[in-house]
Amino acid sequence: MKSDHVYAGATTPTINRIVMWFARRGVNLWGAQVLTVRGRKSGEPRTTPVNPLTLEGRTYLVAPRGHVQWTHNMRAAGGGELRIGRKVRRFDAAEVPDDEKPPVLRAYREAWKSEVGRYFEGHGITAESTDEEWRAVARHYPVFAVIDRL
């Protein structure tokens, strides 16, 4: 399986490999899990570390670096798997509309501000930003609701 190497704030593939190595062995390093999504062009499984966010009983996948390979693949595949150690969660994904993203994006930024804060700051977003300011930049940050498969 090929890795997209896009862990939160990491800028090097080495960090991503380390985080994925731990997650595959059941060690939840910085909240990371391994996301597997079928490649939209190749059809092959693609993996990348992600930090799922649980908010008000729902799980979300947020792409703080914007529209990256795993988000394009998620749109095409409509779901995937989250893995931590031997525990596998198969799911369908529903993309969250921009108008509904502010509380999710705010909670995600707060949960992992040291790793992802700079991606939001690049669009002028801070901890004090209003919902309107979040809505104005929401299109830059894909958010997917995780829906467990039965």
PDB file of all heavy atoms in Angstrom, residues 108-140:
ATOM      1  N   TYR A 108     -11.521  20.935  15.801  1.00  0.00           N
ATOM      2  CA  TYR A 108     -10.332  20.268  15.278  1.00  0.00           C
ATOM      3  C   TYR A 108      -9.104  21.129  15.518  1.00  0.00           C
ATOM      4  O   TYR A 108      -8.075  20.647  15.986  1.00  0.00           O
ATOM      5  CB  TYR A 108     -10.510  19.977  13.789  1.00  0.00           C
ATOM      6  CG  TYR A 108      -9.416  19.095  13.237  1.00  0.00           C
ATOM      7  CD1 TYR A 108      -9.521  17.715  13.300  1.00  0.00           C
ATOM      8  CD2 TYR A 108      -8.285  19.648  12.650  1.00  0.00           C
ATOM      9  CE1 TYR A 108      -8.521  16.897  12.795  1.00  0.00           C
ATOM     10  CE2 TYR A 108      -7.277  18.841  12.147  1.00  0.00           C
ATOM     11  CZ  TYR A 108      -7.409  17.472  12.226  1.00  0.00           C
ATOM     12  OH  TYR A 108      -6.407  16.675  11.740  1.00  0.00           O
ATOM     13  N   ARG A 109      -9.207  22.414  15.211  1.00  0.00           N
ATOM     14  CA  ARG A 109      -8.085  23.321  15.422  1.00  0.00           C
ATOM     15  C   ARG A 109      -7.692  23.347  16.891  1.00  0.00           C
ATOM     16  O   ARG A 109      -6.517  23.324  17.230  1.00  0.00           O
ATOM     17  CB  ARG A 109      -8.430  24.734  14.951  1.00  0.00           C
ATOM     18  CG  ARG A 109      -7.258  25.694  15.071  1.00  0.00           C
ATOM     19  CD  ARG A 109      -7.732  27.151  15.141  1.00  0.00           C
ATOM     20  NE  ARG A 109      -6.624  28.009  15.456  1.00  0.00           N
ATOM     21  CZ  ARG A 109      -6.157  28.223  16.685  1.00  0.00           C
ATOM     22  NH1 ARG A 109      -6.679  27.609  17.719  1.00  0.00           N
ATOM     23  NH2 ARG A 109      -5.143  29.035  16.890  1.00  0.00           N
ATOM     24  N   GLU A 110      -8.671  23.366  17.762  1.00  0.00           N
ATOM     25  CA  GLU A 110      -8.396  23.407  19.202  1.00  0.00           C
ATOM     26  C   GLU A 110      -7.745  22.098  19.666  1.00  0.00           C
ATOM     27  O   GLU A 110      -6.814  22.112  20.460  1.00  0.00           O
ATOM     28  CB  GLU A 110      -9.676  23.670  19.987  1.00  0.00           C
ATOM     29  CG  GLU A 110      -9.485  23.783  21.474  1.00  0.00           C
ATOM     30  CD  GLU A 110      -8.525  24.906  21.900  1.00  0.00           C
ATOM     31  OE1 GLU A 110      -8.426  25.931  21.199  1.00  0.00           O
ATOM     32  OE2 GLU A 110      -7.854  24.736  22.940  1.00  0.00           O
ATOM     33  N   ALA A 111      -8.240  20.978  19.172  1.00  0.00           N
ATOM     34  CA  ALA A 111      -7.719  19.675  19.598  1.00  0.00           C
ATOM     35  C   ALA A 111      -6.263  19.467  19.188  1.00  0.00           C
ATOM     36  O   ALA A 111      -5.500  18.853  19.925  1.00  0.00           O
ATOM     37  CB  ALA A 111      -8.591  18.549  19.034  1.00  0.00           C
ATOM     38  N   TRP A 112      -5.892  19.965  18.020  1.00  0.00           N
ATOM     39  CA  TRP A 112      -4.540  19.744  17.500  1.00  0.00           C
ATOM     40  C   TRP A 112      -3.881  21.053  17.062  1.00  0.00           C
ATOM     41  O   TRP A 112      -3.178  21.110  16.059  1.00  0.00           O
ATOM     42  CB  TRP A 112      -4.569  18.740  16.341  1.00  0.00           C
ATOM     43  CG  TRP A 112      -4.902  17.379  16.843  1.00  0.00           C
ATOM     44  CD1 TRP A 112      -4.075  16.547  17.540  1.00  0.00           C
ATOM     45  CD2 TRP A 112      -6.149  16.703  16.745  1.00  0.00           C
ATOM     46  NE1 TRP A 112      -4.745  15.395  17.868  1.00  0.00           N
ATOM     47  CE2 TRP A 112      -6.016  15.458  17.390  1.00  0.00           C
ATOM     48  CE3 TRP A 112      -7.374  17.019  16.165  1.00  0.00           C
ATOM     49  CZ2 TRP A 112      -7.048  14.542  17.473  1.00  0.00           C
ATOM     50  CZ3 TRP A 112      -8.399  16.114  16.248  1.00  0.00           C
ATOM     51  CH2 TRP A 112      -8.235  14.887  16.899  1.00  0.00           C
ATOM     52  N   LYS A 113      -4.086  22.103  17.860  1.00  0.00           N
ATOM     53  CA  LYS A 113      -3.601  23.429  17.449  1.00  0.00           C
ATOM     54  C   LYS A 113      -2.101  23.481  17.217  1.00  0.00           C
ATOM     55  O   LYS A 113      -1.635  24.160  16.307  1.00  0.00           O
ATOM     56  CB  LYS A 113      -4.042  24.506  18.426  1.00  0.00           C
ATOM     57  CG  LYS A 113      -3.556  24.324  19.834  1.00  0.00           C
ATOM     58  CD  LYS A 113      -4.172  25.368  20.744  1.00  0.00           C
ATOM     59  CE  LYS A 113      -4.058  24.896  22.177  1.00  0.00           C
ATOM     60  NZ  LYS A 113      -5.068  25.498  22.999  1.00  0.00           N
ATOM     61  N   SER A 114      -1.300  22.755  18.007  1.00  0.00           N
ATOM     62  CA  SER A 114       0.149  22.830  17.802  1.00  0.00           C
ATOM     63  C   SER A 114       0.558  22.165  16.486  1.00  0.00           C
ATOM     64  O   SER A 114       1.554  22.559  15.880  1.00  0.00           O
ATOM     65  CB  SER A 114       0.896  22.205  18.976  1.00  0.00           C
ATOM     66  OG  SER A 114       0.617  20.828  19.081  1.00  0.00           O
ATOM     67  N   GLU A 115      -0.203  21.167  16.034  1.00  0.00           N
ATOM     68  CA  GLU A 115       0.131  20.485  14.791  1.00  0.00           C
ATOM     69  C   GLU A 115      -0.478  21.149  13.562  1.00  0.00           C
ATOM     70  O   GLU A 115       0.112  21.120  12.489  1.00  0.00           O
ATOM     71  CB  GLU A 115      -0.344  19.020  14.820  1.00  0.00           C
ATOM     72  CG  GLU A 115       0.394  18.148  15.809  1.00  0.00           C
ATOM     73  CD  GLU A 115      -0.244  18.140  17.190  1.00  0.00           C
ATOM     74  OE1 GLU A 115      -1.284  18.809  17.379  1.00  0.00           O
ATOM     75  OE2 GLU A 115       0.293  17.474  18.072  1.00  0.00           O
ATOM     76  N   VAL A 116      -1.685  21.724  13.688  1.00  0.00           N
ATOM     77  CA  VAL A 116      -2.405  22.216  12.508  1.00  0.00           C
ATOM     78  C   VAL A 116      -2.712  23.705  12.528  1.00  0.00           C
ATOM     79  O   VAL A 116      -3.219  24.234  11.543  1.00  0.00           O
ATOM     80  CB  VAL A 116      -3.716  21.431  12.287  1.00  0.00           C
ATOM     81  CG1 VAL A 116      -3.439  19.944  12.138  1.00  0.00           C
ATOM     82  CG2 VAL A 116      -4.720  21.700  13.392  1.00  0.00           C
ATOM     83  N   GLY A 117      -2.417  24.375  13.612  1.00  0.00           N
ATOM     84  CA  GLY A 117      -2.771  25.790  13.734  1.00  0.00           C
ATOM     85  C   GLY A 117      -2.289  26.645  12.586  1.00  0.00           C
ATOM     86  O   GLY A 117      -3.011  27.514  12.094  1.00  0.00           O
ATOM     87  N   ARG A 118      -1.094  26.381  12.110  1.00  0.00           N
ATOM     88  CA  ARG A 118      -0.536  27.214  11.030  1.00  0.00           C
ATOM     89  C   ARG A 118      -1.339  27.111   9.731  1.00  0.00           C
ATOM     90  O   ARG A 118      -1.367  28.042   8.947  1.00  0.00           O
ATOM     91  CB  ARG A 118       0.923  26.881  10.795  1.00  0.00           C
ATOM     92  CG  ARG A 118       1.184  25.514  10.209  1.00  0.00           C
ATOM     93  CD  ARG A 118       2.696  25.317   9.987  1.00  0.00           C
ATOM     94  NE  ARG A 118       2.994  23.999   9.519  1.00  0.00           N
ATOM     95  CZ  ARG A 118       3.425  23.014  10.281  1.00  0.00           C
ATOM     96  NH1 ARG A 118       3.605  23.209  11.562  1.00  0.00           N
ATOM     97  NH2 ARG A 118       3.683  21.839   9.763  1.00  0.00           N
ATOM     98  N   TYR A 119      -1.988  25.969   9.489  1.00  0.00           N
ATOM     99  CA  TYR A 119      -2.787  25.839   8.277  1.00  0.00           C
ATOM    100  C   TYR A 119      -4.017  26.741   8.327  1.00  0.00           C
ATOM    101  O   TYR A 119      -4.442  27.263   7.302  1.00  0.00           O
ATOM    102  CB  TYR A 119      -3.201  24.384   8.047  1.00  0.00           C
ATOM    103  CG  TYR A 119      -2.015  23.475   7.876  1.00  0.00           C
ATOM    104  CD1 TYR A 119      -1.744  22.468   8.787  1.00  0.00           C
ATOM    105  CD2 TYR A 119      -1.126  23.655   6.818  1.00  0.00           C
ATOM    106  CE1 TYR A 119      -0.642  21.650   8.633  1.00  0.00           C
ATOM    107  CE2 TYR A 119      -0.021  22.845   6.671  1.00  0.00           C
ATOM    108  CZ  TYR A 119       0.219  21.844   7.582  1.00  0.00           C
ATOM    109  OH  TYR A 119       1.319  21.044   7.440  1.00  0.00           O
ATOM    110  N   PHE A 120      -4.569  26.916   9.515  1.00  0.00           N
ATOM    111  CA  PHE A 120      -5.716  27.804   9.663  1.00  0.00           C
ATOM    112  C   PHE A 120      -5.265  29.266   9.701  1.00  0.00           C
ATOM    113  O   PHE A 120      -5.917  30.139   9.141  1.00  0.00           O
ATOM    114  CB  PHE A 120      -6.504  27.436  10.918  1.00  0.00           C
ATOM    115  CG  PHE A 120      -7.141  26.072  10.826  1.00  0.00           C
ATOM    116  CD1 PHE A 120      -6.674  25.023  11.587  1.00  0.00           C
ATOM    117  CD2 PHE A 120      -8.195  25.830   9.961  1.00  0.00           C
ATOM    118  CE1 PHE A 120      -7.246  23.758  11.498  1.00  0.00           C
ATOM    119  CE2 PHE A 120      -8.778  24.583   9.860  1.00  0.00           C
ATOM    120  CZ  PHE A 120      -8.298  23.540  10.630  1.00  0.00           C
ATOM    121  N   GLU A 121      -4.156  29.520  10.371  1.00  0.00           N
ATOM    122  CA  GLU A 121      -3.633  30.886  10.438  1.00  0.00           C
ATOM    123  C   GLU A 121      -3.314  31.418   9.055  1.00  0.00           C
ATOM    124  O   GLU A 121      -3.422  32.619   8.808  1.00  0.00           O
ATOM    125  CB  GLU A 121      -2.391  30.930  11.331  1.00  0.00           C
ATOM    126  CG  GLU A 121      -2.721  30.717  12.792  1.00  0.00           C
ATOM    127  CD  GLU A 121      -1.489  30.394  13.638  1.00  0.00           C
ATOM    128  OE1 GLU A 121      -0.353  30.461  13.120  1.00  0.00           O
ATOM    129  OE2 GLU A 121      -1.688  30.057  14.818  1.00  0.00           O
ATOM    130  N   GLY A 122      -2.946  30.542   8.142  1.00  0.00           N
ATOM    131  CA  GLY A 122      -2.673  30.950   6.766  1.00  0.00           C
ATOM    132  C   GLY A 122      -3.871  31.571   6.082  1.00  0.00           C
ATOM    133  O   GLY A 122      -3.730  32.323   5.119  1.00  0.00           O
ATOM    134  N   HIS A 123      -5.064  31.278   6.589  1.00  0.00           N
ATOM    135  CA  HIS A 123      -6.299  31.886   6.076  1.00  0.00           C
ATOM    136  C   HIS A 123      -6.858  32.909   7.062  1.00  0.00           C
ATOM    137  O   HIS A 123      -8.025  33.286   6.979  1.00  0.00           O
ATOM    138  CB  HIS A 123      -7.350  30.809   5.786  1.00  0.00           C
ATOM    139  CG  HIS A 123      -7.065  30.040   4.545  1.00  0.00           C
ATOM    140  ND1 HIS A 123      -6.677  28.721   4.563  1.00  0.00           N
ATOM    141  CD2 HIS A 123      -7.076  30.413   3.244  1.00  0.00           C
ATOM    142  CE1 HIS A 123      -6.481  28.313   3.324  1.00  0.00           C
ATOM    143  NE2 HIS A 123      -6.707  29.318   2.510  1.00  0.00           N
ATOM    144  N   GLY A 124      -6.031  33.330   8.019  1.00  0.00           N
ATOM    145  CA  GLY A 124      -6.457  34.363   8.964  1.00  0.00           C
ATOM    146  C   GLY A 124      -7.320  33.866  10.103  1.00  0.00           C
ATOM    147  O   GLY A 124      -7.955  34.660  10.795  1.00  0.00           O
ATOM    148  N   ILE A 125      -7.351  32.568  10.338  1.00  0.00           N
ATOM    149  CA  ILE A 125      -8.196  31.988  11.380  1.00  0.00           C
ATOM    150  C   ILE A 125      -7.394  31.822  12.667  1.00  0.00           C
ATOM    151  O   ILE A 125      -6.288  31.284  12.655  1.00  0.00           O
ATOM    152  CB  ILE A 125      -8.754  30.625  10.929  1.00  0.00           C
ATOM    153  CG1 ILE A 125      -9.663  30.801   9.712  1.00  0.00           C
ATOM    154  CG2 ILE A 125      -9.481  29.919  12.063  1.00  0.00           C
ATOM    155  CD1 ILE A 125     -10.902  31.636   9.963  1.00  0.00           C
ATOM    156  N   THR A 126      -7.996  32.272  13.761  1.00  0.00           N
ATOM    157  CA  THR A 126      -7.394  32.122  15.089  1.00  0.00           C
ATOM    158  C   THR A 126      -8.439  31.532  16.030  1.00  0.00           C
ATOM    159  O   THR A 126      -9.590  31.311  15.634  1.00  0.00           O
ATOM    160  CB  THR A 126      -6.937  33.490  15.642  1.00  0.00           C
ATOM    161  OG1 THR A 126      -8.106  34.290  15.895  1.00  0.00           O
ATOM    162  CG2 THR A 126      -5.991  34.203  14.689  1.00  0.00           C
ATOM    163  N   ALA A 127      -8.056  31.334  17.277  1.00  0.00           N
ATOM    164  CA  ALA A 127      -8.992  30.805  18.275  1.00  0.00           C
ATOM    165  C   ALA A 127     -10.182  31.740  18.473  1.00  0.00           C
ATOM    166  O   ALA A 127     -11.258  31.307  18.865  1.00  0.00           O
ATOM    167  CB  ALA A 127      -8.269  30.581  19.597  1.00  0.00           C
ATOM    168  N   GLU A 128      -9.998  33.009  18.190  1.00  0.00           N
ATOM    169  CA  GLU A 128     -11.057  34.002  18.400  1.00  0.00           C
ATOM    170  C   GLU A 128     -11.932  34.226  17.170  1.00  0.00           C
ATOM    171  O   GLU A 128     -12.860  35.038  17.212  1.00  0.00           O
ATOM    172  CB  GLU A 128     -10.450  35.350  18.832  1.00  0.00           C
ATOM    173  CG  GLU A 128      -9.790  35.325  20.193  1.00  0.00           C
ATOM    174  CD  GLU A 128      -8.391  34.685  20.166  1.00  0.00           C
ATOM    175  OE1 GLU A 128      -7.697  34.782  19.118  1.00  0.00           O
ATOM    176  OE2 GLU A 128      -8.011  34.064  21.169  1.00  0.00           O
ATOM    177  N   SER A 129     -11.676  33.547  16.079  1.00  0.00           N
ATOM    178  CA  SER A 129     -12.434  33.757  14.844  1.00  0.00           C
ATOM    179  C   SER A 129     -13.911  33.431  15.035  1.00  0.00           C
ATOM    180  O   SER A 129     -14.269  32.489  15.745  1.00  0.00           O
ATOM    181  CB  SER A 129     -11.857  32.916  13.711  1.00  0.00           C
ATOM    182  OG  SER A 129     -10.565  33.363  13.384  1.00  0.00           O
ATOM    183  N   THR A 130     -14.757  34.198  14.364  1.00  0.00           N
ATOM    184  CA  THR A 130     -16.209  34.014  14.435  1.00  0.00           C
ATOM    185  C   THR A 130     -16.652  32.906  13.478  1.00  0.00           C
ATOM    186  O   THR A 130     -15.903  32.506  12.585  1.00  0.00           O
ATOM    187  CB  THR A 130     -16.937  35.313  14.046  1.00  0.00           C
ATOM    188  OG1 THR A 130     -16.667  35.566  12.651  1.00  0.00           O
ATOM    189  CG2 THR A 130     -16.488  36.487  14.895  1.00  0.00           C
ATOM    190  N   ASP A 131     -17.896  32.469  13.636  1.00  0.00           N
ATOM    191  CA  ASP A 131     -18.447  31.477  12.716  1.00  0.00           C
ATOM    192  C   ASP A 131     -18.418  32.003  11.283  1.00  0.00           C
ATOM    193  O   ASP A 131     -18.158  31.246  10.348  1.00  0.00           O
ATOM    194  CB  ASP A 131     -19.880  31.106  13.097  1.00  0.00           C
ATOM    195  CG  ASP A 131     -19.944  30.100  14.234  1.00  0.00           C
ATOM    196  OD1 ASP A 131     -18.884  29.603  14.663  1.00  0.00           O
ATOM    197  OD2 ASP A 131     -21.063  29.816  14.691  1.00  0.00           O
ATOM    198  N   GLU A 132     -18.695  33.280  11.099  1.00  0.00           N
ATOM    199  CA  GLU A 132     -18.673  33.860   9.752  1.00  0.00           C
ATOM    200  C   GLU A 132     -17.276  33.796   9.141  1.00  0.00           C
ATOM    201  O   GLU A 132     -17.124  33.507   7.958  1.00  0.00           O
ATOM    202  CB  GLU A 132     -19.195  35.300   9.769  1.00  0.00           C
ATOM    203  CG  GLU A 132     -20.688  35.409   9.982  1.00  0.00           C
ATOM    204  CD  GLU A 132     -21.496  34.539   9.006  1.00  0.00           C
ATOM    205  OE1 GLU A 132     -21.231  34.581   7.788  1.00  0.00           O
ATOM    206  OE2 GLU A 132     -22.367  33.790   9.474  1.00  0.00           O
ATOM    207  N   GLU A 133     -16.263  34.044   9.940  1.00  0.00           N
ATOM    208  CA  GLU A 133     -14.887  33.948   9.437  1.00  0.00           C
ATOM    209  C   GLU A 133     -14.549  32.505   9.078  1.00  0.00           C
ATOM    210  O   GLU A 133     -13.893  32.248   8.065  1.00  0.00           O
ATOM    211  CB  GLU A 133     -13.909  34.504  10.474  1.00  0.00           C
ATOM    212  CG  GLU A 133     -14.025  36.008  10.639  1.00  0.00           C
ATOM    213  CD  GLU A 133     -13.261  36.549  11.830  1.00  0.00           C
ATOM    214  OE1 GLU A 133     -13.296  35.918  12.914  1.00  0.00           O
ATOM    215  OE2 GLU A 133     -12.634  37.617  11.683  1.00  0.00           O
ATOM    216  N   TRP A 134     -15.010  31.559   9.904  1.00  0.00           N
ATOM    217  CA  TRP A 134     -14.794  30.148   9.593  1.00  0.00           C
ATOM    218  C   TRP A 134     -15.522  29.769   8.307  1.00  0.00           C
ATOM    219  O   TRP A 134     -14.977  29.062   7.469  1.00  0.00           O
ATOM    220  CB  TRP A 134     -15.275  29.262  10.741  1.00  0.00           C
ATOM    221  CG  TRP A 134     -14.309  29.157  11.880  1.00  0.00           C
ATOM    222  CD1 TRP A 134     -14.380  29.797  13.087  1.00  0.00           C
ATOM    223  CD2 TRP A 134     -13.125  28.359  11.921  1.00  0.00           C
ATOM    224  NE1 TRP A 134     -13.315  29.441  13.867  1.00  0.00           N
ATOM    225  CE2 TRP A 134     -12.530  28.559  13.181  1.00  0.00           C
ATOM    226  CE3 TRP A 134     -12.522  27.495  11.023  1.00  0.00           C
ATOM    227  CZ2 TRP A 134     -11.351  27.921  13.556  1.00  0.00           C
ATOM    228  CZ3 TRP A 134     -11.345  26.855  11.392  1.00  0.00           C
ATOM    229  CH2 TRP A 134     -10.778  27.073  12.649  1.00  0.00           C
ATOM    230  N   ARG A 135     -16.775  30.229   8.151  1.00  0.00           N
ATOM    231  CA  ARG A 135     -17.536  29.904   6.941  1.00  0.00           C
ATOM    232  C   ARG A 135     -16.843  30.446   5.690  1.00  0.00           C
ATOM    233  O   ARG A 135     -16.876  29.822   4.638  1.00  0.00           O
ATOM    234  CB  ARG A 135     -18.957  30.466   7.027  1.00  0.00           C
ATOM    235  CG  ARG A 135     -19.926  29.543   7.690  1.00  0.00           C
ATOM    236  CD  ARG A 135     -21.375  30.016   7.576  1.00  0.00           C
ATOM    237  NE  ARG A 135     -22.111  29.448   8.665  1.00  0.00           N
ATOM    238  CZ  ARG A 135     -22.272  30.001   9.873  1.00  0.00           C
ATOM    239  NH1 ARG A 135     -21.772  31.184  10.135  1.00  0.00           N
ATOM    240  NH2 ARG A 135     -22.932  29.379  10.818  1.00  0.00           N
ATOM    241  N   ALA A 136     -16.228  31.614   5.812  1.00  0.00           N
ATOM    242  CA  ALA A 136     -15.577  32.251   4.665  1.00  0.00           C
ATOM    243  C   ALA A 136     -14.403  31.417   4.130  1.00  0.00           C
ATOM    244  O   ALA A 136     -14.071  31.506   2.948  1.00  0.00           O
ATOM    245  CB  ALA A 136     -15.103  33.648   5.042  1.00  0.00           C
ATOM    246  N   VAL A 137     -13.795  30.602   4.981  1.00  0.00           N
ATOM    247  CA  VAL A 137     -12.648  29.793   4.544  1.00  0.00           C
ATOM    248  C   VAL A 137     -12.963  28.298   4.503  1.00  0.00           C
ATOM    249  O   VAL A 137     -12.102  27.495   4.147  1.00  0.00           O
ATOM    250  CB  VAL A 137     -11.407  30.048   5.431  1.00  0.00           C
ATOM    251  CG1 VAL A 137     -11.003  31.511   5.387  1.00  0.00           C
ATOM    252  CG2 VAL A 137     -11.632  29.574   6.858  1.00  0.00           C
ATOM    253  N   ALA A 138     -14.179  27.915   4.857  1.00  0.00           N
ATOM    254  CA  ALA A 138     -14.542  26.499   4.987  1.00  0.00           C
ATOM    255  C   ALA A 138     -14.283  25.700   3.716  1.00  0.00           C
ATOM    256  O   ALA A 138     -13.916  24.525   3.785  1.00  0.00           O
ATOM    257  CB  ALA A 138     -16.004  26.370   5.406  1.00  0.00           C
ATOM    258  N   ARG A 139     -14.437  26.320   2.564  1.00  0.00           N
ATOM    259  CA  ARG A 139     -14.250  25.590   1.297  1.00  0.00           C
ATOM    260  C   ARG A 139     -12.824  25.053   1.136  1.00  0.00           C
ATOM    261  O   ARG A 139     -12.584  24.137   0.369  1.00  0.00           O
ATOM    262  CB  ARG A 139     -14.629  26.473   0.113  1.00  0.00           C
ATOM    263  CG  ARG A 139     -13.659  27.595  -0.159  1.00  0.00           C
ATOM    264  CD  ARG A 139     -14.130  28.494  -1.312  1.00  0.00           C
ATOM    265  NE  ARG A 139     -13.175  29.526  -1.610  1.00  0.00           N
ATOM    266  CZ  ARG A 139     -13.029  30.650  -0.905  1.00  0.00           C
ATOM    267  NH1 ARG A 139     -13.790  30.872   0.149  1.00  0.00           N
ATOM    268  NH2 ARG A 139     -12.120  31.546  -1.257  1.00  0.00           N
ATOM    269  N   HIS A 140     -11.888  25.632   1.872  1.00  0.00           N
ATOM    270  CA  HIS A 140     -10.487  25.207   1.787  1.00  0.00           C
ATOM    271  C   HIS A 140     -10.193  23.950   2.603  1.00  0.00           C
ATOM    272  O   HIS A 140      -9.113  23.369   2.455  1.00  0.00           O
ATOM    273  CB  HIS A 140      -9.555  26.324   2.273  1.00  0.00           C
ATOM    274  CG  HIS A 140      -9.656  27.565   1.465  1.00  0.00           C
ATOM    275  ND1 HIS A 140      -9.217  27.655   0.160  1.00  0.00           N
ATOM    276  CD2 HIS A 140     -10.176  28.785   1.778  1.00  0.00           C
ATOM    277  CE1 HIS A 140      -9.446  28.868  -0.288  1.00  0.00           C
ATOM    278  NE2 HIS A 140     -10.019  29.569   0.659  1.00  0.00           N
TER     279      HIS A 140
END
